[in-house]
Amino acid sequence: AYRRGAGFSLHLAMVADGDEEARREAKELLDYYLGMLEDGDFSAFAAVDRDRLRDGAKQTSRWLGQNRTATTAELETQRKELTDLAGQIIGRYGIAQKCKEMLESLDPERARSRSLEASETEKLQQVAADTLKWVQGHEDADCDSLLARHREMESVVNPVLADEAVRTGAVTGKLYIRKDGTQHFEADAKPPPPRLLLDRERNIAVIELDEAASDEDLKNIIDTLAVLTAKAAKGEINAAVLNVKGTGASPMLIGHMLRSGAFIVGLRSCVSAIVGCVTGRVVGPAWALLLGADYRIASSEVELHLPITTAPQCLHHIVGPAVATHLCMDAGTMSVTDALGLGIFHEVHPGADQASKAAFEMASRIAGFARNSTRLTMMALARDADEFVNSIQDNPKYLYIPRESLDGHAQKEVRAVATVR
């Protein structure tokens, strides 16, 4: 009997603790919404609506002072009354403001800079005008009615804006957030797969890819090269040509293999020498692919964007400390001629075809030597493979640059992170 009584008392204590925790959470939530109303700026609202919000906040504050021992149910009832009042007024103003901003953005002069078709512009103008007229004619609408009207407007507006964003270079897909806080993005449009070509007569591998290559395809390339170099009697792959077509892809499309530098590390572990050839826009991970090559070739129309956002740890050994600092701390574009003079490129050719041909010829020349001799020479001249991981990912301070003031002069001891989109 004593044990049963003790157990029952413990149960009652646990229930009491749970009720007190729920009451504390309800009280904190009510205080949060009350603070938002008391500190909010409602100067743009009509005088009648401002008075209603102030009166509601005062009544709630007075009620809390008079009911310090209110139950969880009473606190939640008071919170619902307060949020219904605020949602009715603030929601109505929010929807009206959104409609007005949309109509202003569709003004003929401002619409010229947008990628909207005539039918899409007319559709957006119609839904914005209809929603604004409904809101202005239903000042007593409750929160549910306002939310339903807002969803109806978004069902028309969002598809049009999504199509416009795609036409201007945006990427559509699904974003997954893992339990540890990391994110994974899957694009609706699959990127073109990279290609691995083998020339067994010259012992050369040719890899063609861009920044949007998937991790799975890059892993398959590394696994294939590892098998060929491990099982071959004399080592079939002695050098690799890395043809990189820079596209300036969205950062959401960049996989872990390129973002972290794992692909370059794996590639350098499989082959003795890498000859890199870049075309298009060199920005983001394209820099890591370029700087991961032992011999670097480019076409004259290449666009080089600074600062680099993926750089190997041994960057100062590859191009020198001064050039490494310039690449990480400068912003803007760099000409191919300047890059050639700074030692970033070893050769520059007029077109992409000529550059690709020169890269293949250089790789053939390197692969013509004995595999062991080539590998020992590169081991003595080049850095270890594990030094080609992305150092900026672990220490973004490498990208810090002075922030400019309004008059265009740099401010001392002020830093800002420069990002390349």
Side-chain angles (χ1 to χ4, degrees):
Y2 172 77
R3 291 178 180 175
R4 286 197 298 268
F8 182 68
S9 300
L10 179 61
H11 174 71
L12 289 179
M14 294 175 62
V15 172
D17 291 342
D19 292 342
E20 183 61 27
E21 181 68 23
R23 180 186 176 281
R24 184 165 52 252
E25 292 179 356
K27 175 68 167 52
E28 291 177 354
L29 192 58
L30 179 57
D31 290 336
Y32 171 75
Y33 285 114
L34 180 60
M36 290 181 62
L37 288 182
E38 292 176 343
D39 300 336
D41 182 13
F42 305 111
S43 57
F45 289 19
V48 177
D49 293 328
R50 288 201 304 269
D51 293 340
R52 290 178 61 189
L53 290 174
R54 290 198 192 99
D55 293 342
K58 290 179 180 179
Q59 292 176 6
T60 303
S61 180
R62 190 181 305 113
W63 183 89
L64 283 173
Q66 297 173 354
N67 299 269
R68 298 183 180 277
T69 60
T71 62
T72 303
E74 292 173 342
L75 291 170
E76 291 180 348
T77 301
Q78 193 67 22
R79 175 179 57 82
K80 186 177 185 306
E81 293 177 359
L82 182 64
T83 54
D84 286 346
L85 173 64
Q88 179 184 6
I89 300 174
I90 299 175
R92 174 159 46 84
Y93 273 87
I95 296 176
Q97 183 65 23
K98 186 175 182 179
C99 294
K100 292 177 183 178
E101 292 177 354
M102 186 180 301
L103 291 174
E104 292 176 358
S105 67
L106 296 173
D107 181 81
E109 294 184 359
R110 298 177 62 180
R112 293 194 188 101
S113 60
R114 302 185 60 175
S115 301
L116 287 172
E117 299 179 358
S119 59
E120 294 176 335
T121 302
E122 183 179 354
K123 183 185 294 186
L124 293 178
Q125 290 176 338
Q126 184 66 37
V127 68
D130 292 345
T131 304
L132 180 60
K133 182 179 179 181
W134 182 91
V135 170
Q136 292 174 347
H138 295 77
E139 294 186 357
D140 57 344
D142 57 9
C143 292
D144 294 336
S145 301
L146 291 171
L147 185 59
R149 189 70 186 187
H150 183 257
R151 288 174 178 171
E152 181 180 348
M153 181 183 69
E154 285 189 334
S155 65
V156 179
V157 173
N158 289 346
V160 177
L161 297 182
D163 293 339
E164 179 192 13
V166 171
R167 285 194 290 268
T168 56
V171 179
T172 61
K174 298 178 181 179
L175 179 63
Y176 298 93
I177 302 178
R178 303 185 180 93
K179 293 182 179 180
D180 58 356
T182 59
Q183 298 179 353
H184 173 66
F185 180 78
E186 289 185 2
D188 293 335
K190 299 301 180 182
R195 297 198 305 170
L196 174 62
L197 308 176
L198 301 176
D199 188 337
R200 298 181 182 276
E201 294 182 359
R202 297 179 175 84
N203 296 337
I204 296 176
V206 179
I207 304 172
E208 299 177 353
L209 78 163
D210 59 20
E211 309 101 305
S214 66
D215 288 343
E216 183 178 358
D217 292 335
L218 296 178
K219 290 177 182 177
N220 291 336
I221 290 177
I222 298 299
D223 291 342
T224 302
L225 292 176
V227 171
L228 291 176
T229 54
K231 292 186 176 181
K234 61 178 181 178
E236 291 194 11
I237 305 303
N238 202 8
V241 178
L242 190 61
N243 286 326
V244 181
K245 182 180 180 181
T247 59
S250 170
M252 299 295 291
L253 297 179
I254 309 303
H256 174 74
M257 292 284 288
L258 291 182
R259 191 185 301 274
S260 63
F263 174 71
I264 287 295
V265 173
L267 184 61
R268 296 188 65 87
S269 301
C270 294
V271 297
S272 301
I274 301 174
V275 179
C277 176
V278 293
T279 58
R281 298 179 60 194
V282 179
V283 56
W287 276 105
L289 296 172
L290 166 64
L291 296 172
D294 301 299
Y295 195 84
R296 299 174 289 276
I297 302 175
S299 59
S300 59
E301 68 272 11
V302 166
E303 299 178 13
L304 304 174
H305 294 263
L306 300 178
I308 59 177
T309 56
T310 51
Q313 292 180 353
C314 56
L315 176 63
H316 59 289
H317 293 288
I318 298 175
V319 295
V323 178
T325 303
H326 174 62
L327 292 179
C328 292
M329 303 197 64
D330 198 3
T333 58
M334 175 188 292
S335 67
V336 179
T337 305
D338 293 341
L340 181 63
L342 293 174
I344 299 174
F345 292 117
H346 298 95
E347 294 182 21
V348 174
H349 295 269
D353 294 338
Q354 295 93 323
S356 179
K357 181 180 179 181
F360 185 81
E361 291 176 351
M362 176 58 67
S364 301
R365 195 178 311 165
I366 295 174
F369 296 96
R371 174 178 170 79
N372 289 337
S373 301
T374 304
R375 196 166 188 83
L376 291 174
T377 302
M378 296 308 301
M379 288 175 62
L381 297 177
R383 310 300 300 182
D384 294 338
D386 57 359
E387 295 186 34
F388 284 83
V389 297
N390 182 14
S391 59
I392 294 178
Q393 185 178 18
D394 297 330
N395 190 3
K397 291 191 296 184
Y398 290 140
L399 292 181
Y400 283 12
I401 61 174
R403 181 190 300 165
E404 291 187 351
S405 59
L406 297 178
D407 57 0
H409 299 289
Q411 300 177 356
K412 294 182 179 180
E413 299 180 358
V414 178
R415 299 280 178 172
V417 178
T419 58
V420 180
R421 297 184 182 274

